[in-house]
Amino acid sequence: MAHLGVGIGWRPEIADAVERLDGLDWVEVVAENICPGHLPDGLRRLRERGTRIVPHGVSLGLGGADRPDAEKLAALGERAVALGAPLVTEHIAFVRTSSPLLEAGHLLPVPRTRDALDVLCENVRIAQDALPVPLALENIAALFSWPGEEMTEGQFLTELVERTGVRLLVDVANLHTNRVNRGEDPAAVLDAIPLEALAYVHVAGGVERAGVWHDTHAHPVPTVVLDLLAELRSRVEPAGVLLERDDDFPPEAELAGELAAIRAAVAAGRPAPVRARALRPLPGPAPLPVPLPAPRAARTAGPEPVPGPEAVAGAGLGPVAEPVRAPGAAPVSGVTPAAGAEPGFGPQAVAGPQAVARANPAGPEAAAAARAFGGVEGARTRVGLGQAALLSALVAGTPVPEGFDRARIRVQARALAAKRADVVAKVAPELPGILGGRDPYREAFLSYAKHRPMTAGYRRDALDFAEHLLVRDLPADPAARRRLTAWWRERAGARPPRRIVRWARALAGRAA
């Protein structure tokens, strides 16, 4: 990696302050929030000044069961070229399901299982082939754990790097989040992952409420996170460190102070050479055969009770194509109920090394090869079933799948609904005013969102919310209702359907 230095996440709300910050080496921008042909003036001036700009994607969902969306990949690559970026970054997460079609509006965790790793690795290879610059992936913050995991975080990330050659974006604030919420030791993660694959580092603030750490990106960076940055620095010198701030932006002097604290933490870390570790060769035209992954039993230390999601805001997450299923696999129809009863989901569906060996008498190498090259479609089906059951519980009010911490899932569901309300208010700032203020707006939106999951991004969600109110003759105030009708018509280009039409649509949908 070329040296990046210390940087900050560029956001429109702090664009002027970012331009004035002394000693700023680079910036990162949310890829989905910019248009390559129409860069914001502040970002364009930074580009002309020679400041490095890295696009940070939030909507690919490389950990999802579906293959990466080709249009999203092309858009991310286009932004990298327009910005002259040395790399692009994304997350180890899933953000949607396609059967049923649901959007999380949030980065959610993938289970640390062989199936999920196989799917993730293939998706990463597809992304790497499509992107014009190298890709780095970020570890995400966790609120809850998947049941039946087969690897630790360190094992999962290490094998991901060895199998794909992808770089890592290590978020030390997310390591702290996972320590509080899942009892995971950040030092153990740093000891286990291949730091020679480190691209750069994220630092951010959060807050603890009722024993749960929320990675808000809206609070000052706490000392404990700066200590983790120094801990990482004691192992390796990162090419870059970046401060993330997405909301409740402080005065310019406070931002400068946080950057100074980050520089001090990097300086405080004891310099040490990167541990010498050769990465496993990647598939390619090399004359020598590619070593196969070691048998599962020889590489894992047993299940670890943890994974979870991250609070990175993105706008306009759209639908994706129907997933490809393995021959003979049952389709997922509608909203999946509790997944404990679903075939292929949960710890009971994971075959151990003995079962693999019995099913593959040629030996563990043949079993690994069959899994890697012939079983990805089956893995996609199994991963898709699990993710659909979880996301349905989080955004559609269906039963919590067996094995999950129900209290944590309720906390996550409330957080997703609140975030959705906040983002819709930013996308359509007129709505709180029409509905009488922030509190009446939130009350109405959260009631709407309880059983109406987002399926096509925040802008569509805002229109659907307005339509939901109008077909119920809400708001009660006639003047407010007329304003909402005019707002809806201006953006949707049509009249809201009458209640009888809405009922007919609902009945037709149930019959189908």
Side-chain angles (χ1 to χ4, degrees):
M1 273 296 299
H3 181 74
L4 292 172
V6 174
I8 192 169
W10 187 92
R11 304 292 183 265
E13 297 88 341
I14 55 172
D16 292 339
V18 168
E19 285 190 70
R20 292 190 295 265
L21 287 170
D22 288 334
L24 187 70
D25 299 309
W26 66 294
V27 299
E28 180 190 79
V29 61
V30 176
E32 289 81 354
N33 290 350
I34 62 167
C35 178
H38 304 278
L39 293 179
D41 290 341
L43 205 57
R44 179 180 50 78
R45 286 192 293 268
L46 288 173
R47 176 92 173 91
E48 292 170 351
R49 227 162 67 183
T51 303
R52 283 186 183 269
I53 305 172
V54 174
H56 184 56
V58 298
S59 66
L60 270 182
L62 292 174
D66 298 316
R67 287 175 172 76
D69 183 271
E71 291 186 6
K72 291 182 184 296
L73 280 173
L76 185 57
E78 184 182 11
R79 284 152 177 78
V81 172
L83 296 171
L87 79 165
V88 296
T89 58
E90 249 286 353
H91 301 82
I92 301 169
F94 81 99
V95 297
R96 65 181 65 84
T97 60
S98 59
S99 183
L101 180 60
L102 297 172
E103 287 281 354
H106 187 76
L107 300 168
L108 293 174
V110 298
R112 296 174 186 139
T113 62
R114 289 283 156 201
D115 277 347
L117 182 61
D118 288 346
V119 171
L120 175 62
C121 286
E122 183 174 72
N123 287 349
V124 168
R125 293 189 194 103
I126 292 170
Q128 288 171 320
D129 288 344
L131 292 169
V133 295
L135 171 68
L137 295 182
E138 179 181 349
N139 60 303
I140 69 169
L143 184 57
F144 60 87
S145 302
W146 278 85
E149 294 197 305
E150 302 170 298
M151 286 174 277
T152 66
E153 176 83 339
Q155 291 166 339
F156 192 86
L157 295 179
T158 297
E159 189 159 338
L160 170 66
V161 171
E162 290 177 342
R163 288 172 59 174
T164 66
V166 74
R167 289 185 174 274
L168 296 178
L169 192 179
V170 174
D171 189 317
V172 290
N174 292 348
L175 293 180
H176 173 65
T177 302
N178 297 344
R179 169 166 54 192
V180 176
N181 294 348
R182 305 186 303 183
E184 195 168 67
D185 181 8
V189 177
L190 292 176
D191 284 339
I193 62 176
L195 290 176
E196 59 272 24
L198 180 66
Y200 61 87
V201 179
H202 271 176
V203 179
V207 64
E208 186 172 351
R209 299 190 186 101
V212 175
W213 186 268
H214 297 270
D215 181 42
T216 63
H217 295 193
H219 292 79
V221 178
T223 301
V224 67
V225 171
L226 293 174
D227 291 342
L228 281 178
L229 176 60
E231 181 85 7
L232 182 147
R233 176 65 182 88
S234 73
R235 290 162 169 78
V236 64
E237 182 177 2
V241 182
L242 184 118
L243 170 65
E244 287 190 297
R245 188 80 180 222
D246 293 316
D247 209 346
D248 290 341
F249 298 100
E252 184 177 333
E254 289 187 29
L255 289 176
E258 290 209 283
L259 290 173
I262 288 171
R263 292 187 183 95
V266 171
R270 176 176 53 84
V274 180
R275 301 183 309 277
R277 179 183 355 190
L279 297 182
R280 193 178 301 170
L282 298 174
L288 296 177
V290 178
L292 291 168
R296 180 188 309 171
R299 193 169 52 248
T300 61
E304 179 193 17
V306 285
E310 178 183 68
V312 173
L317 305 184
V320 295
E322 188 73 15
V324 179
R325 300 187 180 90
V332 185
S333 58
V335 175
T336 310
E342 291 288 348
F345 175 76
Q348 72 276 12
V350 178
Q354 294 84 3
V356 173
R358 285 197 299 272
N360 298 272
E365 291 82 4
R371 186 179 186 88
F373 301 110
V376 177
E377 296 310 320
R380 288 190 185 278
T381 300
R382 292 186 292 273
V383 169
L385 285 168
Q387 291 179 345
L390 172 62
L391 188 52
S392 297
L394 288 171
V395 303
T398 58
V400 177
E402 182 180 347
F404 285 94
D405 184 322
R406 294 175 187 275
R408 286 295 178 91
I409 296 300
R410 285 195 294 270
V411 171
Q412 183 69 81
R414 288 195 297 269
L416 290 180
K419 177 183 175 181
R420 185 176 160 196
D422 290 343
V423 177
V424 166
K426 289 181 179 179
V427 170
E430 304 87 355
L431 290 178
I434 293 172
L435 299 179
R438 180 180 182 275
D439 290 343
Y441 158 76
R442 284 181 67 85
E443 182 180 355
F445 188 90
L446 293 177
S447 175
Y448 151 80
K450 191 174 296 183
H451 298 290
R452 293 180 176 276
M454 182 169 61
T455 60
Y458 290 111
R459 289 176 177 81
R460 181 69 253 175
D461 204 22
L463 290 172
D464 289 345
F465 169 56
E467 180 180 314
H468 167 81
L469 294 176
L470 291 171
V471 298
R472 285 160 178 75
D473 294 328
L474 296 173
D477 176 40
R481 193 161 61 250
R482 286 194 296 271
R483 288 175 61 199
L484 185 61
T485 300
W487 181 90
W488 191 94
R489 285 175 175 167
E490 182 181 342
R491 286 154 184 80
R495 268 184 84 178
R498 294 180 180 274
R499 187 181 289 112
I500 189 66
V501 175
R502 189 66 174 265
W503 287 343
R505 288 180 183 174
L507 289 173
R510 292 193 190 103

